[in-house]
Amino acid sequence: MGSTILLTGAAGYIGSHTAVALAQAGYDLAIVDNCSNSSPIAVERCRELTGADIPFYQADVADKAALMEIFHQVKPAAVMHFSGYKAVGESVAQPLKYYRNNLDTTLSLLECMVQEGVGAFIFSSSATVYGANATVPYRESDPVGGCTNPYGWTKLMIEQIAQDTAAANPNMSVVLLRYFNPVGAHESGRIGENPAGIPNNLMPYITQVAVGKLDHLNIFGNDYDTPDGTGVRDYIHVVDLAQGHVAALKYAIEHTGAEVFNLGTGRGVSVLELVNAFQTVNGVSVPYEFAPRRAGDLASVWADPAKAREILGWTAEKTVEDMVADSWRWQKNNPDGYV
Ligand code: UDP
């Protein structure tokens, strides 16, 4: 086994930022991505930002034969699994597409790992695995399940599959990272979130309104039981999230078994607070209107990040001001994404 970290889906938003953080921390990397919802230009820019020679394999992670060939070339010491479909609404309309892709990719990856004796697996899970009845702040020991959409179920199913695989393979180390709401971009403005079509998530919607691509923001609900009536979330800067992966990798290399960590700030921020911070910090206007609640949304979601702090020695450091400034720099500098 070599010392390279293999990243799936690292042409995407979180993977690309993690690639930069890992390369800057001195790790050798290789990336596999089929670019079905991402661009090879992102990998090019990761190389440009880090000066690292990052081999890139444009292949489908679900294609086990192709993946095994990549394993033979890369000889990874650890795998970080970012690839997967992620649009909540689309997962409701096309559940089989989500189950097929998200589960097939993971099964191929874990089969290759077990076959080749690769020990460490780090997975992009989500706060959405906590059931709708969980109460804030969410702790790793809280009940999971009762997901409101197939996307969430795929995350929970993959957690289970990975935990079972670790239990059956005592040399394996599985780290499941439950992301809260990733926003922001690398401070260079060279990599960032690049959604296909009209964004589903709040921050890319705000930036596209600010840049004039969309007319106004619809704020889904202003009658929640929150301080200003709009939904409250734990927005985490993607560069902090990337550093969380570096800490998780160190942990995974030194341990065996399976562990779950929340990656959040522990702070709740409302939609209106985020919109107001965006306008104030960036000096741009984001017209908005109040609209009915969105199906499946909860009033308030935020993490208890104590476990990651205590065990991984990681905490989120960036402010809401950093988040809105960096998101805007990325959008302004790349109005049409990676072109
Ligand atoms: N939201 C909104 N308008 C939008 C998109 C999102 O008001 O166009 C709100 C949504 O209701 C939630 C918050 O912004 O309170 C974060 O939503 P997002 O889809 O980004 O992430 P989620 O927390 O649903 O995973």
Side-chain angles (χ1 to χ4, degrees):
M1 207 191 301
S3 58
T4 301
I5 316 303
L6 180 64
L7 277 55
T8 75
Y13 176 42
I14 296 164
S16 58
H17 287 81
T18 304
V20 168
L22 288 168
Q24 287 175 340
Y27 291 96
D28 289 330
L29 312 178
I31 292 174
V32 51
D33 197 313
N34 66 357
C35 293
S36 70
N37 187 29
S38 61
S39 167
I41 298 171
V43 177
E44 202 41 65
R45 295 200 183 167
C46 290
R47 294 181 180 130
E48 162 203 304
L49 287 171
T50 60
D53 166 32
I54 305 172
F56 174 50
Y57 300 90
Q58 191 156 350
D60 185 345
V61 178
D63 179 347
K64 196 180 160 195
L67 190 62
M68 191 52 101
E69 186 53 41
I70 294 166
F71 266 64
H72 287 154
Q73 288 182 34
V74 172
K75 298 184 177 42
V79 172
M80 287 196 186
H81 185 27
F82 298 98
S83 71
Y85 293 154
K86 60 176 182 181
V88 170
E90 186 186 48
S91 82
V92 175
Q94 299 183 64
L96 298 178
K97 173 177 168 180
Y98 273 66
Y99 288 114
R100 170 66 75 192
N101 181 68
N102 291 5
L103 297 180
D104 266 1
T105 51
T106 308
L107 292 171
S108 298
L109 202 50
L110 288 169
E111 283 172 352
C112 287
M113 288 183 66
V114 169
Q115 216 166 311
E116 297 300 300
V118 180
F121 180 71
I122 291 155
F123 174 61
S124 304
S125 189
S126 165
T128 194
V129 301
Y130 292 109
N133 296 327
T135 51
V136 288
Y138 289 9
R139 296 192 176 81
E140 291 84 349
S141 54
D142 286 347
V144 291
C147 301
T148 52
N149 58 76
Y151 159 76
W153 280 116
T154 68
K155 292 293 179 191
L156 189 57
M157 288 176 184
I158 293 168
E159 285 198 0
Q160 186 67 47
I161 291 167
Q163 282 168 326
D164 291 345
T165 307
N169 294 276
N171 293 330
M172 267 190 94
S173 173
V174 162
V175 178
L176 307 168
L177 299 175
R178 293 182 181 154
Y179 305 160
F180 281 69
N181 289 60
V183 294
H186 191 266
E187 63 179 11
S188 64
R190 296 293 288 160
I191 56 172
E193 185 169 14
N194 184 31
I198 295 176
N200 298 304
N201 295 112
L202 179 60
M203 186 66 95
Y205 207 105
I206 291 175
T207 62
Q208 291 200 15
V209 170
V211 85
K213 293 180 85 168
L214 295 168
D215 177 61
H216 70 276
L217 170 72
N218 288 306
I219 296 184
F220 299 140
N222 62 346
D223 57 353
Y224 283 109
D225 183 16
T226 59
D228 64 23
T230 66
V232 168
R233 295 290 182 273
D234 186 339
Y235 297 96
I236 174 168
H237 196 294
V238 66
V239 169
D240 278 333
L241 196 64
Q243 291 302 336
H245 288 73
V246 177
L249 176 64
K250 287 184 190 143
Y251 177 87
I253 288 171
E254 290 167 4
H255 295 80
T256 55
E259 279 294 348
V260 181
F261 295 100
N262 286 337
L263 293 184
T265 67
R267 271 192 317 269
V269 173
S270 76
V271 175
L272 270 180
E273 283 173 326
L274 196 69
V275 171
N276 288 334
F278 191 96
Q279 300 189 111
T280 308
V281 169
N282 297 320
V284 286
S285 125
V286 179
Y288 62 81
E289 286 173 14
F290 292 115
R293 293 181 180 191
R294 185 172 65 179
D297 275 358
L298 300 171
S300 297
V301 175
W302 66 87
D304 179 342
K307 187 177 174 191
R309 183 177 65 238
E310 284 157 17
I311 297 181
L312 302 179
W314 169 88
T315 35
E317 288 169 1
K318 295 197 179 261
T319 62
V320 171
E321 287 70 31
D322 297 326
M323 300 178 200
V324 295
D326 292 339
S327 289
W328 179 229
R329 185 179 307 106
W330 155 253
Q331 177 72 72
K332 215 175 23 177
N333 293 355
N334 307 270
D336 297 314
Y338 290 114
V339 285

